[in-house]
Every structure is written in structure tokens, then in C-alpha cells.
């Protein structure tokens, strides 16, 4: 079953795009928790980090590289967080792998 991010990738739900190539999409989070809150995701339907197969690992490296680029473009390269919530107990609500790029304010320690 398609998730909201699957529908966004298919162009069936609107979003504010920050970056796109054949493999990766980055969009503004609809409920930002910081001045910069961007979601970076593979276009391939992968539920979460725990579902990643070895052949998909290059996507993770590419996401890290794109996070670096976006952080520089947004001027937050001195301090940002890149995180993924894996599974319901970690607060994952959309079961299409995505990484939150969060910054633009002082971020507290993880609780
Ligand atoms: P998670 O809880 O880690 O699965 O993160 C899901 C994120 O997706 C949340 O931060 C939501 O605010 C965000 N979100 C949900 N629907 C949309 C949407 N249509 N466009 C952009 N962000 C969304």
C-alpha cells in the first residue's frame, strides 16, 4: 500500500521540493520542528532503515551527501541533526524510509 510519501513521489500529493534526482527526493516537512526541517527520502519504497537490503546501502550514502549539500545551502552546516525514526516505538508514522534534516536553532541533547 502506498504511503503519503509514495503519493508525493508519484506527484499525486503536493509538496515543497528542496532537491530531486532519479533516486532521491527532499521536501519541506509539513510540521517543522525547527527553522530548517527537511525530509530526505529514497524514491524506492523501503519501509524504514531496518528494511534496508545490502543492495540499497548506496542510497544511504547518497542521502548523507545530499544532506551535506542542503545543510550548506541553508547555512546550517555548523550544526544540524540527520535522523530517522525506525518503527512505531521510535515514533515512525510514515512507513517510507526518510531522514529528517533539522537545524537552524540550537538543538538540545537527545532525550
Ligand atoms: P516520522 O514520524 O519520522 O515517520 O516522520 C514523518 C514526518 O512526515 C513528520 O515530521 C510529518 O510532519 C511529515 N509529514 C507527514 N505528511 C507530510 C506531507 N504531506 N508533506 C510533508 N511532510 C509530511
Amino acid at each position: 500500500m502506498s504511503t503519503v510519501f509514495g503519493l508525493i513521489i508519484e506527484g499525486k500529493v503536493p509538496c515543497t521540493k528542496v532537491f530531486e534526482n532519479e533516486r532521491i527526493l527532499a521536501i519541506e516537512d509539513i510540521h517543522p520542528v525547527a527553522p530548517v526541517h527537511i525530509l530526505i527520502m529514497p524514491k524506492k519504497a523501503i519501509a524504514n532503515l531496518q528494511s534496508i537490503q545490502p543492495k540499497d546501502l548506496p542510497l544511504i550514502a547518497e542521502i548523507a551527501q545530499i544532506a551535506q549539500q542542503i545543510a550548506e545551502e541553508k547555512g546550517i552546516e555548523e550544526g544540524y541533526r540527520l535522523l530517522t525514526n525506525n518503527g512505531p516505538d521510535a515514533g515512525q508514522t510514515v512507513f517510507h524510509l526518510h531522514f529528517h534534516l533539522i537545524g537552524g536553532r540550537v538543538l538540545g541533547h537527545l532525550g
Side-chain angles (χ1 to χ4, degrees), residues 2-15 17 19-27 39-46 94-98:
S2 203
T3 65
V4 65
F5 294 166
L7 296 173
I8 286 172
I9 289 161
E10 289 171 18
K12 293 177 179 163
V13 167
C15 70
K17 282 183 193 174
F19 174 90
E20 182 172 25
N21 68 15
E22 311 88 74
R23 294 167 300 280
I24 308 290
L25 178 68
I27 64 172
L39 303 172
I40 311 176
M41 64 192 76
K43 291 186 175 178
K44 184 173 179 179
I46 300 168
V94 180
F95 285 78
H96 181 117
L97 178 65
H98 56 281

Side-chain angles (χ1 to χ4, degrees), residues 30-108:
I30 205 166
H31 293 125
V33 300
V36 176
H37 188 169
I38 290 162
L39 303 172
I40 311 176
M41 64 192 76
K43 291 186 175 178
K44 184 173 179 179
I46 300 168
N48 53 30
L49 195 66
Q50 200 64 23
S51 309
I52 280 271
Q53 303 290 315
K55 66 179 185 311
D56 296 321
L57 286 172
L59 291 169
I60 305 299
E62 190 171 9
I63 285 170
Q65 192 178 37
I66 290 162
Q68 284 183 335
Q69 283 173 26
I70 295 173
E72 264 196 38
E73 284 164 21
K74 299 288 183 185
I76 61 164
E77 66 272 20
E78 295 301 324
Y80 63 85
R81 195 164 281 158
L82 182 67
L83 65 90
T84 188
N85 295 320
N86 185 89
D89 285 358
Q92 184 178 5
T93 58
V94 180
F95 285 78
H96 181 117
L97 178 65
H98 56 281
F99 287 77
H100 299 253
L101 174 63
I102 296 168
R105 65 169 167 80
V106 175
L107 300 167

